[in-house]
Amino acid sequence: MQQKIIILDFGSQTTQLIGRRVRELDTFCEILPYNKFPADDASVIGVILSGSPYSVHDPEAFKVDLSQFVGKVPVLGICYGAQFISHTMGGKVEKADSREYGRAHLEYIDTENPLFKGFEAKSQVWMSHGDTITAIPDGFHCIASTKDVKYAAYWNPLRQVEVGAGLEAPLFAVQFHPEVFHTLQGKQLLKNFVVDICGSRQEWSAASFVDTTVAELKQQLGNDRVILGLSGGVDSSVAAVLLNRAIGNHLTCIFVDHGMLRKDEFHNVMRDYESLGLHVIGVDASNKFFADLKGITDPEQKRKIIGRDFVEVFNAEARKIEGARWLAQGTIYPDRIESLNITGKVIKSHHNVGGLPEEMHLQLCEPLKWLFKDEVRRVGRQLQMPERLVNRHPFPGPGLAVRILGDITPERVRILQEADDIYIRAMREYICEDGRPLYDHIWQAGAILLSTVRSVGVMGDERTYEHPVALRAVTSTDAMTADWAHLPYDFMARVSNEIINKVRGVNRVCYDISSKPPATIEWE
């Protein structure tokens, strides 16, 4: 039986990050709404309660029946989770004299406690709360404090019961966030909890995922024919190779070129897919997309038109494949978490989520639905896929259409393709001090054509009046937040000079230094 940690989501922005940290410990975890704890699931070895935007005193604050798991498996409450435990079990939570946000240092740590094994004195942590715990319930003990927060961490050593093969089930709570980068020994704390306290066997790995999933796909699909829509991105590519290993020539892939891919991308990706032994139907539908986008400048309209046209083109090709019973998608775990918040309301629609068009009469197959992006890459490497496919930056489904401000025309796409190609190629060629290409240090990069703007320039002895190009590069772990990348000046000078000299229609290059939030990674 596969072990798992359940993470109950109370609405924190870092809940996914908790999940990723647990997975990094080679332990499977599942993120569930706060009120959806699975009853009688023998595979659950521990529970983590996330933070929340609410105060425990808010009338609309999310609440959970702790008796479902407290004392039965080890529990770790984080921030709101810690405050909710204290508030519910007889402690006291009050408004802090000053809101506690940012770096803090643990002045006192009970290093004998299993949660803090291996911790250094005055370890840095990250606080983010407006309330604070002023009293803990009877029977609980303080195990860490900062200068301003007496109960930075606490536990109940008396609340231990025998579970299964002699496992103990203590309860721990911390008011800081161990999952974030700024808590310097946060990974150690989570390892102490997940591995030492919960007893994880650390069996969740790329190799085990491939073996298990291939076996499950063979059983699920049998001899049925499967259709998969490829985008050239890492998710759909890994899904295709995984399915190909399971069912071979019963898989047919469709790759639609809407005319707004990167320079030569359609032909390059088709060549890569053929080298992987995939059966791929390539469809050049660029004329249709350009015709339907003519005169459209609103970003949301662009997305809707491209989405509609893609479905039409894809369905037309899919209907030609006789006997197809399944549609496979490269949906990954964050896609599904993003699409529904903990109240069940859609907060962000995603192209891989939301069901299938009724007229397709196909069942849905999502072999990557439990994986985070970094896990997808590890699976791709386990499948021995080329690094250029596995390590590709995310690229928007509408392609360069949402990186061109204003009307979409073939000429504007050509200009942006040329500028973007110079930028990305230079990023792959620039070798950093650690010996890796600059490209590998960036989460996502691309060029944006400001076609609604013109600027004056001088080339030779002539005045020019052409478009600026903005370059964008961000660092991130999951795209929920992102910071602008501090690119080397010599690299920036080289790229700017080459774009202006070689791309007709561009006479100025800018660099976007906005973080997310408040900006987004893409401009449209």
Side-chain angles (χ1 to χ4, degrees):
M1 181 184 298
Q2 178 177 257
Q3 298 175 316
K4 69 171 131 178
I5 299 288
I6 294 295
I7 301 169
L8 294 181
D9 182 14
F10 289 84
S12 170
Q13 293 183 351
T14 59
T15 300
Q16 279 198 44
L17 193 52
I18 301 172
R20 292 184 70 254
R21 294 286 180 258
V22 173
R23 295 282 184 89
E24 287 168 4
L25 296 168
D26 298 326
T27 303
F28 181 70
C29 68
E30 190 172 349
I31 298 173
L32 297 173
Y34 68 97
N35 57 354
K36 299 294 184 183
F37 182 77
D40 303 321
D41 188 340
S43 65
V44 178
I45 60 171
V47 176
I48 298 176
L49 278 60
S50 83
S52 175
Y54 291 118
S55 161
V56 295
H57 299 295
D58 290 342
E60 64 270 33
F62 299 132
K63 298 176 175 62
V64 64
D65 179 3
L66 295 175
S67 66
Q68 297 176 93
F69 43 82
V70 167
K72 299 176 183 178
V73 293
V75 176
L76 172 63
I78 295 175
C79 196
Y80 175 89
Q83 295 175 357
F84 179 79
I85 290 168
S86 178
H87 176 71
T88 304
M89 302 184 74
K92 186 179 290 186
V93 178
E94 298 180 291
K95 281 285 182 189
D97 292 335
S98 60
R99 301 174 77 186
E100 295 159 348
Y101 289 105
R103 293 177 181 84
H105 292 85
L106 298 179
E107 302 282 342
Y108 159 69
I109 306 174
D110 179 1
T111 54
E112 297 297 314
N113 189 278
L115 191 66
F116 289 108
K117 185 182 72 175
F119 262 59
E120 300 171 358
K122 295 193 174 183
S123 184
Q124 178 180 294
V125 297
W126 187 263
M127 296 285 187
S128 180
H129 53 91
D131 291 350
T132 193
I133 297 169
T134 56
I136 54 178
D138 291 343
F140 286 75
H141 298 268
C142 176
I143 53 176
S145 304
T146 70
K147 179 182 177 182
D148 300 314
V149 182
K150 180 178 180 180
Y151 300 110
Y154 65 91
W155 81 317
N156 188 340
L158 303 179
R159 190 172 292 276
Q160 297 179 351
V161 296
E162 295 296 319
V163 178
L167 293 177
E168 293 183 332
L171 186 155
F172 300 87
V174 297
Q175 287 202 84
F176 54 88
H177 287 270
E179 71 273 20
V180 303
F181 172 79
H182 298 294
T183 296
L184 298 185
Q185 291 184 275
K187 289 184 180 180
Q188 180 66 40
L189 185 149
L190 290 172
K191 180 178 183 292
N192 291 342
F193 179 74
V194 171
V195 179
D196 297 342
I197 296 168
C198 295
S200 168
R201 295 188 296 264
Q202 296 185 280
E203 296 173 332
W204 175 259
S205 66
S208 67
F209 175 84
V210 169
D211 291 343
T212 301
T213 304
V214 166
E216 290 174 349
L217 288 171
K218 287 180 177 179
Q219 183 176 8
Q220 177 188 20
L221 304 174
N223 292 319
D224 293 347
R225 297 203 65 82
V226 180
I227 304 171
L228 171 65
L230 288 170
S231 67
V234 61
D235 298 339
S236 65
S237 299
V238 171
V241 175
L242 199 58
L243 280 159
N244 189 54
R245 178 168 293 192
I247 62 173
N249 60 11
H250 286 85
L251 172 69
T252 301
C253 303
I254 299 173
F255 184 26
V256 176
D257 181 6
H258 50 40
M260 286 150 284
L261 300 173
R262 285 184 152 130
K263 183 180 179 181
D264 299 327
E265 183 171 23
F266 182 71
H267 300 291
N268 292 339
V269 171
M270 284 292 291
R271 185 177 63 246
D272 285 336
Y273 285 151
E274 289 171 8
S275 70
L276 291 170
L278 299 176
H279 172 46
V280 184
I281 299 171
V283 184
D284 181 357
S286 54
N287 289 337
K288 172 179 175 58
F289 283 86
F290 279 123
D292 290 349
L293 286 168
K294 186 175 182 180
I296 304 298
T297 60
D298 179 74
E300 191 61 22
Q301 276 191 278
K302 290 180 187 177
R303 289 179 178 274
K304 288 180 178 178
I305 290 170
I306 292 170
R308 180 200 68 201
D309 284 3
F310 178 87
V311 170
E312 289 180 6
V313 173
F314 183 88
N315 286 353
E317 290 299 322
R319 281 193 287 268
K320 299 175 185 177
I321 301 170
E322 294 183 7
R325 295 188 58 190
W326 297 84
L327 175 68
Q329 293 184 336
T331 312
I332 64 175
Y333 199 32
D335 298 337
R336 299 192 295 132
I337 299 171
E338 285 178 1
S339 295
L340 292 176
N341 69 7
I342 56 180
T343 63
K345 296 178 181 177
V346 174
I347 56 175
K348 176 187 176 183
S349 60
H350 191 277
H351 64 281
N352 278 349
V353 180
L356 303 174
E358 291 184 6
E359 66 272 14
M360 293 192 74
H361 303 295
L362 298 175
Q363 300 177 73
L364 188 60
C365 175
E366 298 173 308
L368 307 180
K369 65 182 179 181
W370 290 111
L371 300 187
F372 288 96
K373 178 73 76 173
D374 51 340
E375 293 176 311
V376 174
R377 297 190 200 281
R378 288 203 294 271
V379 168
R381 293 185 179 100
Q382 181 67 30
L383 291 166
Q384 298 183 317
M385 293 173 62
E387 192 65 23
R388 63 181 175 275
L389 275 178
V390 172
N391 206 35
R392 286 193 62 182
H393 290 175
F395 188 67
L400 300 181
V402 292
R403 293 182 179 176
I404 296 174
L405 274 60
D407 190 10
I408 307 298
T409 67
E411 174 61 12
R412 288 177 174 176
V413 170
R414 180 202 65 78
I415 292 172
L416 186 54
Q417 283 178 333
E418 295 292 340
D420 178 83
D421 183 62
I422 290 170
Y423 183 35
I424 299 301
R425 182 166 36 81
M427 204 169 263
R428 292 185 184 278
E429 293 171 356
Y430 189 97
I431 304 302
C432 299
E433 291 182 358
D434 63 356
R436 294 193 299 153
L438 178 59
Y439 183 91
D440 291 351
H441 291 266
I442 305 300
W443 171 266
Q444 188 168 341
I448 299 94
L449 179 64
L450 280 62
S451 55
T452 57
V453 178
R454 289 181 180 271
S455 66
V456 174
V458 177
M459 290 187 180
D461 295 322
E462 296 184 2
R463 174 185 183 276
T464 61
Y465 192 52
E466 295 178 330
H467 300 296
V469 161
L471 303 181
R472 182 75 158 140
V474 299
T475 57
S476 182
T477 55
D478 49 22
M480 297 182 68
T481 61
D483 195 11
W484 61 278
H486 295 230
L487 300 180
Y489 284 169
D490 59 331
F491 169 81
M492 299 286 283
R494 168 192 162 186
V495 170
S496 173
N497 195 52
E498 190 172 351
I499 288 175
I500 291 172
N501 285 338
K502 293 185 177 180
V503 182
R504 184 167 298 176
V506 176
N507 67 353
R508 191 177 299 270
V509 173
C510 311
Y511 187 55
D512 182 350
I513 59 170
S514 310
S515 62
K516 175 189 178 182
T520 54
I521 296 176
E522 298 294 343
W523 277 43
E524 290 194 340

